[in-house]
């Protein structure tokens, strides 16, 4: 299969490359299939590229790379929905917002994107009754290192 993308040009992919979000992502309910496209080696960011819309991609990162004390639990309902059998199957991504200045980049810790990497299914969850926010500033030293 092929898709013409805004940032990556024409890309070829297989069904095995696609992550399926049965409910879409909040605000993007009609977009349910995404590719994960890592940036260069050593840079802790990737893009979630919509398969349905070539102009739609979301910058994401593993929040644990920046916030080692980040912590939340998955409900039994979410574990069942994502068909998680082993903890090793779970990946967590957080959406990143970059303004003109990379040093002002923020990450959404309130609504992590949780995926079963083995079965390629995912869901964005909202951490109700949490101290996390939609816009946590990325630690400056780490953000600075990733741009070198």
């Amino acid at each position: 299969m092929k898709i013409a993308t805004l940032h990556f040009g024409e890309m070829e992919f297989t069904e095995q490359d696609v992550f399926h979000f049965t409910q879409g992502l909040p605000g993007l309910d009609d977009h349910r299939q995404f590719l994960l496209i890592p940036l260069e080696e050593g840079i802790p960011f990737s893009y979630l590229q919509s398969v349905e819309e070539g102009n739609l991609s979301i910058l994401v990162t593993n929040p644990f790379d920046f916030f080692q004390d980040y912590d939340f639990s998955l409900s039994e309902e979410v574990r069942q929905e994502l068909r998680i059998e082993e903890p090793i199957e779970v990946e967590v991504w957080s959406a990143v917002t970059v303004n003109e200045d990379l040093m002002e980049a923020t990450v959404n810790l309130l609504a992590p994107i949780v995926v079963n990497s083995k079965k390629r299914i995912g869901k964005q969850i909202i951490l109700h009754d949490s101290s996390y926010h939609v816009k946590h500033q990325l630690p400056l030293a780490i953000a600075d290192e990733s741009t070198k």
Side-chain angles (χ1 to χ4, degrees), residues 71-109:
D71 187 42
F72 64 91
S73 297
L74 294 178
S75 69
E76 183 60 32
E77 179 182 324
V78 169
R79 286 191 290 240
Q80 287 180 7
E81 183 178 343
L82 297 179
R83 297 184 287 171
I84 296 169
E85 297 172 6
E86 302 287 330
I88 193 80
E89 297 172 343
V90 178
E91 288 185 28
V92 178
W93 307 325
S94 289
V96 177
T97 301
V98 179
N99 298 315
E100 289 183 22
D101 182 0
L102 179 61
M103 301 306 275
E104 299 295 322
T106 61
V107 64
N108 182 346
L109 297 182

Side-chain angles (χ1 to χ4, degrees), residues 35-75:
L35 302 172
L36 183 67
I37 303 169
L39 294 181
E40 296 177 31
E41 177 105 15
I43 296 180
F45 300 99
S46 299
Y47 277 97
L48 266 183
Q49 171 64 56
S50 170
V51 171
E52 295 101 347
E53 173 58 55
N55 292 332
L56 176 63
S57 61
I58 303 165
L59 186 63
V60 296
T61 193
N62 178 339
F64 300 103
D65 288 347
F66 295 93
F67 302 92
Q68 285 77 30
D69 59 346
Y70 185 51
D71 187 42
F72 64 91
S73 297
L74 294 178
S75 69

